[in-house]
Amino acid sequence: MQADKIWQAALGELQLQVNKANFNTWLKDTRGVDYSDNIFVVAVPTEFIAEWLKSRLNSLVSRTLSTIVGQNVEVQFQVQAVKKEPAHSISRTMPDGGVSLKIRELNRQTFLNPKYTFGSFIAGDCNRLPYTAAIEIADNPGGAFNPLYIYGGTGTGKTHLLHAIGHVARASQQTTLYMSSEQFTNEFIAAIRNKNAEEFRNKFNDIDIFLLDDVQFLSGKTQTQECIFHILNDFLDDNRQVVVTGDRPPKDIESLHIRLRSRLEGGLLADIYPPNHKTRVDILELKSQQMRVAFNIQVLNYMASHFYRNVRELEGALTRLSTYARLNGIEIDLSAAKQVLSDMVSISKQQNNYHCPSVIINTVADYFAISPEVITSKKRDLKTSRARHIIMYLLRQQNHCTLAEIGRLLGGRDHTTVIHGCDKISSEISVDSQLSKSVEVIRDLLKSSQKAQNT
Ligand code: ADP
Ligand code: MG
């Protein structure tokens, strides 16, 4: 059989096994190009997609291919780029090489925070996918991921990434429009009131990259959603780039019209989490350098251990300490840091997402209908392993436990086993909808048990 026919059959199978957004983002634009000596070569449009497929779907793809051809197949993903040119384009350069006035004028309409660049953004496990996708988009707008939808809690760096894309795009003379959804709504309503809705929509025609922040704000705003839906369609038809952020995935935004939701889900969905301890220390180091203050590693560790829900909180603590150091002309040691931050630490403790580890273990065990003792035992059947991996993942993500701690809590497992468990869940959660649903339900159970405790 020819490689392309085999691949078409495999794509048909894969379409049933991964969700639609993942299929469209990672598999749709691939081709089967060669099959010989049990090696099957799949052509993919970018290095990023090749890496992603290799790390997440390698075994699923080779299993699917093996079933189709009836023998074991090894799969290789090779980049064979087909760059799509934007269908629309405005004249970018003047005869003297300067930037066209129109571009300058359009770009002046949006303020981009000069501090929010890729250079000032720390990449870590919590943001690897949105960060890499954002860089890819900034280099190659309108390419593979359109729209890119980044979602996660407050203060995790979504706005920062949008501005960073904007800076790179402008440097390469692309017109970029950044808007919060609130600002969009206000301008749209004003335009309707002044009877120039048409003009309002036309303003987007000359934009190459549209960055729309905090789309959860549009919940229930039917007319605004409708306008955004049409604008999105125009962008996507022309292969112009759209990047949208929200505090949750589109399906969880109440009263979001199904048409708009499926548009937003049609590209890459990338979630962003609060950073882990190491990333928090890296962020603190970078931000203190920017503020031109230096703290010793104990002080940085202390801050990183007590402020972990989001980066904004971490920045708040850093600003407090550096102001204190500057005003008093002293170097801050650990005991001074504890004293200066004491009230912030106690507020943070009250609000955190921490659950007693035994509550996490019991809740997950209950969910899988197994006893907590089995979780800490040596048993390794599929169900027990899955439950154990989810516990590792939640202890790490919600409680920021160290690997050693998690290993201890789960019956003395070593840290490589824990890393494997956490990695397995974090990489499969974005492709396995059954798993993501289970984790979501477990988180809800944990939240309600906490509420019950607090009342
Ligand atoms: P969000 O839009 O998700 O609420 P922001 O983008 O406004 O969050 O980020 C809040 C603050 O945290 C900003 O000052 C931003 O620079 C900083 N920040 C967030 N994530 C990172 C990161 N990974 N590296 C450096 N700074 C970050
Ligand atoms: Mg934001």
Side-chain angles (χ1 to χ4, degrees):
M1 240 195 294
Q2 288 165 333
D4 61 338
K5 294 245 169 64
I6 300 173
W7 188 240
Q8 285 312 322
L11 283 179
E13 290 289 317
L14 290 165
Q15 201 159 10
L16 303 174
Q17 299 187 55
V18 301
N19 69 33
K20 189 171 154 219
N22 275 312
F23 184 85
N24 287 343
T25 307
W26 310 108
L27 290 164
K28 200 176 79 203
D29 296 328
T30 56
R31 286 175 299 122
V33 286
D34 188 42
Y35 174 46
S36 49
D37 300 332
N38 288 2
I39 295 183
F40 194 95
V41 181
V42 178
V44 302
T46 69
E47 192 63 51
F48 183 54
I49 293 183
E51 278 300 312
W52 195 93
L53 286 170
K54 204 166 122 201
S55 65
R56 314 260 178 137
L57 287 188
N58 205 41
S59 61
L60 179 65
V61 172
S62 54
R63 243 184 298 133
T64 309
L65 283 168
S66 306
T67 317
I68 291 170
V69 299
Q71 56 186 327
N72 272 345
V73 174
E74 190 187 315
V75 60
Q76 285 180 358
F77 299 103
Q78 261 178 24
V79 182
Q80 297 187 6
V82 225
K83 192 167 170 183
K84 291 184 208 161
E85 279 304 317
H88 121 121
S89 168
I90 57 178
S91 134
R92 277 159 214 295
T93 42
M94 304 297 281
D96 66 358
V99 180
S100 107
L101 264 183
K102 183 157 188 187
I103 292 182
R104 262 190 270 169
E105 178 50 38
L106 285 166
N107 278 340
R108 239 200 306 270
Q109 292 178 11
T110 314
F111 169 76
L112 293 176
N113 187 331
K115 287 193 186 143
Y116 291 174
T117 61
F118 284 120
S120 65
F121 192 85
I122 300 281
D125 294 343
C126 55
N127 54 35
R128 188 87 56 208
L129 179 61
Y131 170 76
T132 336
I135 289 192
E136 173 76 27
I137 276 174
D139 288 346
N140 179 20
F145 317 113
N146 206 8
L148 167 65
Y149 185 92
I150 303 175
Y151 68 93
T154 175
T156 46
K158 302 181 296 295
T159 301
H160 188 136
L161 281 178
L162 285 188
H163 285 222
I165 295 173
H167 287 303
V168 175
R170 283 189 182 173
S172 58
Q173 298 174 22
Q174 306 266 329
T175 48
T176 312
L177 185 63
Y178 166 88
M179 272 182 145
S180 70
S181 296
E182 185 174 8
Q183 188 189 353
F184 184 99
T185 306
N186 293 342
E187 287 193 21
F188 174 64
I189 292 173
I192 293 190
R193 201 175 302 127
N194 300 330
K195 303 203 168 17
N196 54 10
E198 181 82 19
E199 200 180 308
F200 173 75
R201 245 185 82 177
N202 286 344
K203 129 175 169 172
F204 292 84
N205 290 346
D206 287 332
I207 300 297
D208 296 311
I209 302 189
F210 179 31
L211 308 165
L212 182 64
D213 212 356
D214 289 322
V215 85
Q216 73 278 358
F217 182 82
L218 300 177
S219 167
K221 302 193 170 57
T222 320
Q223 261 189 307
T224 315
Q225 286 185 20
E226 169 130 11
C227 177
I228 289 192
F229 173 76
H230 290 297
I231 290 173
L232 276 187
N233 278 347
D234 291 345
F235 272 80
L236 301 181
D237 285 348
D238 297 345
N239 291 328
R240 286 182 289 149
Q241 183 70 46
V242 180
V243 186
V244 179
T245 73
D247 68 353
R248 63 199 92 166
K251 70 174 172 32
D252 292 344
I253 299 178
E254 279 166 40
S255 317
L256 188 67
H257 195 285
I258 183 83
R259 284 196 309 185
L260 180 55
R261 175 180 144 186
S262 70
R263 268 287 167 281
L264 294 174
E265 284 174 342
L268 175 62
L269 297 181
D271 52 352
I272 191 162
Y273 295 107
N276 63 17
H277 188 93
K278 181 184 174 305
T279 310
R280 295 200 293 281
V281 172
D282 290 347
I283 292 176
L284 285 170
E285 272 183 335
L286 180 80
K287 302 257 170 193
S288 43
Q289 271 169 23
Q290 286 169 346
M291 292 179 180
R292 294 181 206 290
V293 281
F295 296 108
N296 69 38
I297 189 69
Q298 283 110 329
V299 172
L300 296 181
N301 271 326
Y302 178 76
M303 280 192 272
S305 317
H306 287 87
F307 302 96
Y308 44 74
R309 283 178 310 155
N310 64 57
V311 182
R312 206 170 281 139
E313 205 181 63
L314 208 55
E315 282 182 338
L318 187 65
T319 308
R320 161 91 70 99
L321 268 199
S322 56
T323 312
Y324 187 88
R326 199 167 305 125
L327 289 180
N328 294 285
I330 54 164
E331 202 167 298
I332 301 262
D333 61 8
L334 184 58
S335 73
K338 283 185 182 170
Q339 202 187 340
V340 176
L341 296 174
S342 64
D343 57 328
M344 290 172 92
V345 166
S346 63
I347 292 174
S348 166
K349 271 201 183 127
Q350 283 161 21
Q351 296 171 338
N352 70 30
N353 220 351
Y354 178 92
H355 300 281
C356 175
S358 64
V359 173
I360 295 188
I361 296 175
N362 292 342
T363 308
V364 177
D366 248 18
Y367 178 84
F368 283 94
I370 41 188
S371 92
E373 288 75 51
V374 173
I375 301 269
T376 49
S377 74
K378 296 249 172 305
K379 209 165 167 215
R380 288 181 54 183
D381 61 292
L382 272 181
K383 189 157 96 168
T384 312
S385 302
R386 172 118 300 192
R388 203 177 279 133
H389 291 157
I390 291 180
I391 294 173
M392 292 173 177
Y393 173 80
L394 291 173
L395 285 170
R396 188 108 180 108
Q397 239 216 348
Q398 307 220 160
N399 279 20
H400 307 277
C401 288
T402 63
L403 298 170
E405 249 176 300
I406 299 175
R408 247 191 335 269
L409 286 163
L410 292 175
R413 297 185 142 77
D414 71 10
H415 79 282
T416 46
T417 314
V418 178
I419 294 181
H420 167 75
C422 296
D423 283 355
K424 194 165 166 56
I425 300 298
S426 45
S427 65
E428 287 180 10
I429 203 164
S430 55
V431 282
D432 180 340
S433 50
Q434 181 65 41
L435 173 66
S436 93
K437 192 84 216 152
S438 303
V439 172
E440 209 174 295
V441 171
I442 291 165
R443 281 195 215 273
D444 285 345
L445 290 170
L446 286 168
K447 270 192 213 139
S448 29
S449 80
Q450 184 153 41
K451 261 192 212 137
Q453 272 171 27
N454 292 341
T455 47

